[in-house]
DNA sequence: TGAATTTTTCCGAAATCTCGGACAAACTTG
DNA sequence: CAAGTTTGTCCGAGATTTCGGAAAAATTCA
């Protein structure tokens, strides 16, 4: 489970209190005083979520939201809002913000919401990681005739074995449970050259 | 993206208004009047989320929460609460509820929250599906002799083709670029029965 | 039901694969 | 360097696979 919360808040006092609340909830606050300072951390592989004040001197919450969505639409942004512009915050939610919190806000509530956002982020990243690994495996598995696909797979297995024995054909054969000569036969057919695997 | 929202709410008026709000937001409400009626829908493979009133004549929100968590800890439960017992609701959140909503609640806000819960549920189910397929693949991919591994892979390819032609061997053979008879031979050796793939 | 199509099984010959044996070349190692 | 080991290549017999033809069995459809 992820724990990082990138805090974007210009008021040092509020920032400190948020930080404390999150630490108390066993999360990992990363305090910044504004968008400019936070920007570089906001990337599609950021392993955490964002908590930003909605109203700040130089930038506002929508700037953060826009920027974040451009970098990664699945990076949750939670907005902190004064009681006055709750409606703005709700618009932001419809615009893609993960959630909003009214400003004098219960530390427990803050932690609950951030934890939920972190759960979401965790799931998204896990999903992506699996998808990547997945495609990698399956790129051989599609298209072509049965024999072609089978041979492609066989080639991969053999190459893998050769890598693990750093090019020793005899060892690889043993590992694969076939006679040495048979492996040579297969390698000839599949055009696998053992030299390529020696280090 | 999932859309089903299982509504557990005894008050017919409120229930109807919730239903309408969700429909308006392009979600799919499934109304029930209480826990008893809802129980059978609550399973670990439920493709949706739960929205329950926290205070009902026969059961309360905690019953729903407990039951749901037992069936699937990652099935979001959102609780509807009167203004009076917000503190109860917050306790429920710490206890695993996904979120709570104060009862005279903005339809837009309701939709936003439910949509987020549905996103969460979608991610969880996707994750699970991938995990299953994943270690199924990696299960065969390791250990065993070259021939065993190859045959396992061949079996998978053939089965996959049969699924996509819903058990028609001739079609599958064509798809795989081999003669019908050859496919029969392979199927015999690999003990693949085409009947199992007909629907 | 009965004809037409499709699925499935059985056969056998040609093609391919398996695998042990043999051996020269290359490579370790004392 | 010389003896011992490993590698890469070639051979050939026996086993297995491929694949067309044929026909029985099951299914579809009019």
């Amino acid at each position: 489970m992820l724990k990082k919360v990138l805090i974007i808040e210009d008021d040092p006092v509020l920032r400190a209190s948020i930080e404390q609340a999150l630490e108390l909830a066993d999360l990992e606050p990363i305090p910044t005083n504004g968008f400019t300072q936070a920007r570089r951390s906001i990337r599609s592989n950021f392993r955490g979520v964002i908590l930003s004040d909605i109203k700040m001197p130089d930038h506002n919450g929508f700037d953060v939201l826009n920027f974040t969505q451009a970098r990664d639409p699945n990076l949750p942004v939670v907005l902190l809002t004064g009681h006055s512009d709750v409606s703005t915050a709700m618009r932001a939610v419809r615009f893609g913000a993960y959630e909003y919190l009214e400003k004098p806000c219960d530390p427990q509530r803050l932690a609950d919401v951030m934890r939920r956002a972190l759960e979401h982020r965790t799931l998204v990243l896990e999903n992506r990681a699996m998808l990547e690994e997945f495609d990698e495996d399956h790129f051989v598995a599609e298209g072509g005739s049965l024999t072609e696909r089978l041979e492609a797979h066989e080639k991969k297995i053999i190459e893998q074995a050769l890598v693990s024995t750093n090019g020793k054909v005899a060892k690889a054969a043993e590992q694969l449970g076939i006679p040495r000569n048979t492996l040579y036969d297969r390698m000839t057919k599949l055009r696998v050259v053992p030299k390529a695997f020696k280090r």
Side-chain angles (χ1 to χ4, degrees), chain A:
Chain A
M1 172 69 132
L2 303 177
K3 295 190 173 180
K4 290 198 180 101
V5 177
L6 185 69
I7 303 168
I8 306 179
E9 169 60 65
D10 59 303
D11 176 6
V13 179
L14 184 49
R15 193 165 65 229
S17 96
I18 291 173
E19 229 179 304
Q20 194 188 2
L22 294 181
E23 263 165 12
L24 219 62
D26 190 34
L27 300 180
E28 295 171 16
I30 303 174
T32 74
N33 59 24
F35 188 28
T36 321
Q37 196 188 337
R39 277 181 86 112
R40 64 193 167 75
S41 297
I42 303 177
R43 338 173 130 270
S44 70
N45 62 350
F46 179 64
R47 301 180 61 76
V49 298
I50 298 171
L51 172 63
S52 172
D53 197 337
I54 204 169
K55 200 198 237 161
M56 288 176 290
D58 50 345
H59 298 91
N60 65 39
F62 274 93
D63 294 330
V64 175
L65 189 53
N66 274 323
F67 184 79
T68 305
Q69 298 243 312
R71 292 302 181 88
D72 185 347
N74 290 306
L75 207 178
V77 173
V78 175
L79 293 171
L80 273 174
T81 176
H83 184 64
S84 61
D85 47 18
V86 168
S87 66
T88 311
M90 288 195 59
R91 227 177 46 247
V93 168
R94 231 155 304 139
F95 195 62
Y98 186 77
E99 181 58 290
Y100 73 91
L101 290 167
E102 284 190 51
K103 213 174 300 184
C105 103
D106 179 36
Q108 188 61 254
R109 170 73 184 158
L110 172 67
D112 286 342
V113 169
M114 297 323 288
R115 194 180 306 282
R116 220 163 353 90
L118 284 163
E119 251 177 62
H120 185 99
R121 183 61 174 167
T122 305
L123 284 171
V124 167
L125 293 183
E126 270 178 20
N127 248 340
R128 283 190 195 159
M130 271 195 275
L131 269 180
E132 270 175 39
E133 213 172 325
F134 219 56
D135 297 341
E136 211 174 292
D137 281 2
H138 279 226
F139 86 101
V140 201
E142 299 314 326
S145 73
L146 178 65
T147 32
E148 285 174 57
R149 290 167 69 175
L150 241 29
E151 284 187 358
H153 193 235
E154 185 180 5
K155 192 168 178 176
K156 278 194 87 177
I157 294 178
I158 291 176
E159 288 175 342
Q160 193 182 307
L162 282 172
V163 167
S164 81
T165 62
N166 86 87
K168 307 288 182 190
V169 180
K171 288 278 174 197
E174 192 184 356
Q175 194 180 97
L176 295 171
I178 55 176
R180 201 169 60 92
N181 286 343
T182 304
L183 183 52
Y184 274 112
D185 286 344
R186 301 313 296 146
M187 282 168 53
T188 304
K189 176 175 234 305
L190 301 172
R191 301 214 185 76
V192 178
V193 275
K195 301 166 205 167
F197 300 91
K198 288 177 187 167
R199 57 166 157 77

